[in-house]
Amino acid sequence: MSIANTPEPPYVAVIFTSVRTPVDEGYAVTSEEMVSMAAGQPGFLGMESARGTDGLGITVSYWRDMESVRAWKAVAEHRTAQRLGRERWYRAYRTRISLVEREYGFSTER
Amino acid sequence: MSIANTPEPPYVAVIFTSVRTPVDEGYAVTSEEMVSMAAGQPGFLGMESARGTDGLGITVSYWRDMESVRAWKAVAEHRTAQRLGRERWYRAYRTRISLVEREYGFSTER
């Protein structure tokens, strides 16, 4: 995982914050499948993900527009993964759909 | 850290994604000071933070409006911390200022 190389705003950021259950069954495989499927969706711009040792995880996916986000949310495999997430893997989560207006950064590598 | 209990949108999310250097000098203390100072700022709504074992960290802070974000960015101690961040602690970072339009969630505890 590295910092997503997003274009000039505006674009959409979907902030998914979650707390996991201790259940691991199927999690890693499904998680990888969802990252791979999302990356193949129209309008996908990038993704960043981190989970701390305290169990709190944040995944931010970036999209060209709201329509791309709606389309990804409706994909059948993604809907199944969301249901399994509520049933098995997540104690709690929150999804926030936001419009990125400004962006700035710093890198020692540029 | 837990999922921030934010109000009904709209509100502002500042997504700060970073990759650390190996330098730890002063990092933990300054980081804690900044969290504490941010929480005391007008318009602060909450914060979520996670850093994975691969070194990628995501901190999202939530604010009532853009004016609150600008005011926090201009606080002298915060400016000093930002400078030290570029000089010492971060190999790269990106800050994205976004307006949260929708939010939904799930919790087994409610």
Side-chain angles (χ1 to χ4, degrees), chain A residues 16 38 83 85:
Chain A
F16 177 78
R83 182 176 53 75

Side-chain angles (χ1 to χ4, degrees), chain A residues 18-60:
Chain A
S18 65
V19 179
R20 292 266 279 112
T21 61
V23 180
D24 277 332
E25 191 198 341
Y27 177 73
V29 169
T30 304
S31 182
E32 276 168 39
E33 274 175 9
M34 289 306 111
V35 169
S36 161
M37 284 193 75
Q41 280 284 302
F44 177 85
L45 300 177
M47 189 180 281
E48 297 163 346
S49 195
R51 186 170 300 279
T53 48
D54 63 355
L56 189 80
I58 304 174
T59 297
V60 189

Side-chain angles (χ1 to χ4, degrees), chain A residues 6 17 48 94 96 103, chain B residues 6 17 48 94-96 103:
Chain A
T6 41
T17 309
E48 297 163 346
R94 198 164 286 200
R96 296 173 174 100
E103 142 166 19
Chain B
T6 41
T17 308
E48 297 163 346
R94 199 165 283 201
T95 304
R96 296 174 174 98
E103 144 167 16

Side-chain angles (χ1 to χ4, degrees), chain B residues 15-94:
Chain B
I15 307 162
F16 177 78
T17 308
S18 64
V19 179
R20 291 266 279 112
T21 62
V23 180
D24 278 332
E25 191 197 342
Y27 177 73
V29 168
T30 305
S31 182
E32 277 169 36
E33 273 175 9
M34 288 306 111
V35 170
S36 163
M37 284 193 73
Q41 280 284 303
F44 178 85
L45 300 176
M47 189 179 283
E48 297 163 346
S49 196
R51 186 171 300 278
T53 48
D54 63 355
L56 189 80
I58 304 174
T59 297
V60 189
S61 59
Y62 300 102
W63 302 85
R64 191 176 51 215
D65 50 29
M66 293 292 176
E67 182 49 38
S68 311
V69 174
R70 272 189 290 270
W72 167 232
K73 191 161 189 274
V75 168
E77 291 88 340
H78 187 199
R79 292 177 67 91
T80 303
Q82 289 172 57
R83 181 175 54 74
L84 288 173
R86 287 186 294 271
E87 289 174 3
R88 290 186 193 172
W89 302 312
Y90 297 116
R91 209 162 63 195
Y93 66 72
R94 199 165 283 201

